[in-house]
Amino acid sequence: MSNVLARWNFLSVAAAVDEILPCCGSRAWADGMVGQRPLPDEAALLAASDKTWHSLAESDWLEAFRSHSRIGESQAPKAASQRSAAWSAQEQRNVAGAGDSIKIALAEGNREYERKFSRIFIVCATGKSPAEILKILQRRMKNDESIELQEASEQQRQITQIRLKRWLQG
C-alpha cells in the first residue's frame, strides 16, 4: 500500500474528501470514495473510482467538468484547486507548445462546443498531440447531446484515473 493511500484511509471524513477531490472535481464522487475506505491498494482505489463515477448523477459529472480549464488555456477555473490546476497544466503541456494555427482552431472549437453543449470540451489530453485533440473535438461536435455527455463522462473517468495514480505517487 502506498504511504499516501495508507494516510488517506485514516484521515477524518472532511479531510479525506478535501484530499481526494482534486483528482476528479465532483464532491459527490469524493464523498463516495471516502465512504469506501479503507482501500488496500491502487487497484482497489481505481475500481472504487470507476464504481463511484458510474453511480453519479449528471449534475455531479457537470461539476467535475467545471473543475477543468479549457483545452489550450492556462488559466484554471475558480472552482479548481491548486493541485487540480497543476495537473491540468501538466496534462495539457503538449497543447501549450502548439503552433498558432492549432491554438486558434482549438479556441474557436472550444467556443463552438460550449455554444452547442453548454459546457467545456473535456478530453483526456495526456499523450495526445494538439492536432489529435483538435480532430477529436471536431469529431465530437457531430455528436448529439446524449452521446456527447457519455463521451465527456468517459474522458473525465480517464482523467480521474490518471490523477489518482499521480496522487498516489505523492
Side-chain angles (χ1 to χ4, degrees), residues 20-27 29-30 53 59-71 73-89 91-92 119-123 152 155-157 159-160 163:
I20 205 164
L21 182 61
C23 296
C24 176
S26 163
R27 186 153 294 277
W29 174 87
W53 181 251
S59 60
D60 301 318
W61 290 353
L62 296 174
E63 178 187 20
F65 301 166
R66 287 190 299 271
S67 72
H68 292 277
S69 56
R70 288 178 182 88
I71 291 292
E73 290 187 6
S74 58
Q75 186 172 343
K78 291 177 184 175
S81 71
Q82 192 171 25
R83 178 181 285 162
S84 180
W87 282 334
S88 183
E91 292 156 1
Q92 293 192 41
R119 62 179 173 270
I120 71 163
F121 171 65
I122 298 289
V123 65
Q155 295 299 307
Q156 175 65 46
R157 187 197 67 76
I159 293 165
T160 301
R163 289 181 174 192

Side-chain angles (χ1 to χ4, degrees), residues 34-136:
V34 169
Q36 296 182 68
R37 294 182 304 164
L39 295 168
D41 54 31
E42 180 179 318
L45 178 73
L46 297 177
S49 175
D50 280 352
K51 177 183 173 188
T52 303
W53 181 251
H54 291 298
S55 74
L56 297 179
E58 179 180 324
S59 60
D60 301 318
W61 290 353
L62 296 174
E63 178 187 20
F65 301 166
R66 287 190 299 271
S67 72
H68 292 277
S69 56
R70 288 178 182 88
I71 291 292
E73 290 187 6
S74 58
Q75 186 172 343
K78 291 177 184 175
S81 71
Q82 192 171 25
R83 178 181 285 162
S84 180
W87 282 334
S88 183
Q90 185 179 13
E91 292 156 1
Q92 293 192 41
R93 71 178 169 263
N94 288 344
V95 176
D100 287 344
S101 63
I102 294 280
K103 286 181 179 178
I104 291 167
L106 281 170
E108 290 172 357
N110 279 331
R111 285 190 294 275
E112 288 177 39
Y113 184 96
E114 289 177 30
R115 278 192 295 274
K116 181 173 181 178
F117 297 110
S118 300
R119 62 179 173 270
I120 71 163
F121 171 65
I122 298 289
V123 65
C124 184
T126 300
K128 292 179 178 68
S129 72
E132 185 178 359
I133 292 168
L134 180 58
K135 285 181 184 176
I136 292 167

Side-chain angles (χ1 to χ4, degrees), residues 4-20:
V4 171
L5 188 56
R7 182 184 57 76
W8 180 74
N9 277 328
F10 292 100
L11 290 175
S12 70
V13 169
V17 166
D18 288 345
E19 173 86 14
I20 205 164

